[in-house]
Amino acid sequence: MDQVLNNIRKMRPDMFIHGVINGAYGTTYFLTRFREVLFHCSAQFDLLDATVPRDSQERLLIERDIFGRAALNVIACEGADRVERPETYKQWQARNQRARLR
């Protein structure tokens, strides 16, 4: 992650916008992870409800392959089995500062 941010800095962009999902998914405590993924997924499903019909094949793929896999990783996997460990906004902010990005 640091290498990517350093490469972006070397490109000298006029503007850098970094969108992150702020959540404590990386914590070791199950209840905290579960609560965070519940809040995140409920917001995502609200968005889908407003924009994509429930009987849409595309929606099924999004729900199963993207949201389902992400939720499974956060809730069910422990230790080395966890594929991703998302970071909080503060952690990303520190990384961006180290890379001298604003």
Side-chain angles (χ1 to χ4, degrees):
M1 291 181 272
D2 290 330
Q3 184 66 38
V4 169
L5 292 174
N6 285 326
N7 287 338
I8 292 170
R9 183 183 49 82
K10 289 175 186 175
M11 288 185 241
R12 299 176 51 93
D14 291 331
M15 183 179 291
F16 174 69
I17 299 173
H18 188 178
V20 296
I21 298 171
N22 188 28
Y25 304 149
T27 184
T28 57
Y29 302 107
F30 172 77
L31 287 177
T32 303
R33 287 196 324 260
F34 182 78
R35 186 184 71 234
E36 291 290 330
V37 80
L38 182 65
F39 290 150
H40 173 70
C41 285
S42 66
Q44 296 297 317
F45 282 108
D46 287 346
L47 177 67
L48 279 178
D49 276 340
T51 58
V52 182
R54 287 186 178 221
D55 60 350
S56 167
Q57 282 299 109
E58 291 83 6
R59 179 175 172 155
L60 176 63
L61 290 173
I62 291 169
E63 289 175 348
R64 183 187 63 215
D65 296 338
I66 297 174
F67 296 160
R69 187 173 294 144
L72 180 67
N73 179 66
V74 172
I75 296 170
C77 298
E78 293 287 348
D81 292 333
R82 296 234 325 264
V83 177
E84 294 181 39
R85 296 181 185 277
E87 297 182 337
T88 65
Y89 170 79
K90 291 286 188 185
Q91 290 169 313
W92 276 110
Q93 186 178 32
R95 284 184 184 278
N96 287 333
Q97 287 175 347
R98 283 194 304 268
R100 291 179 274 151
L101 293 168
R102 296 184 289 133

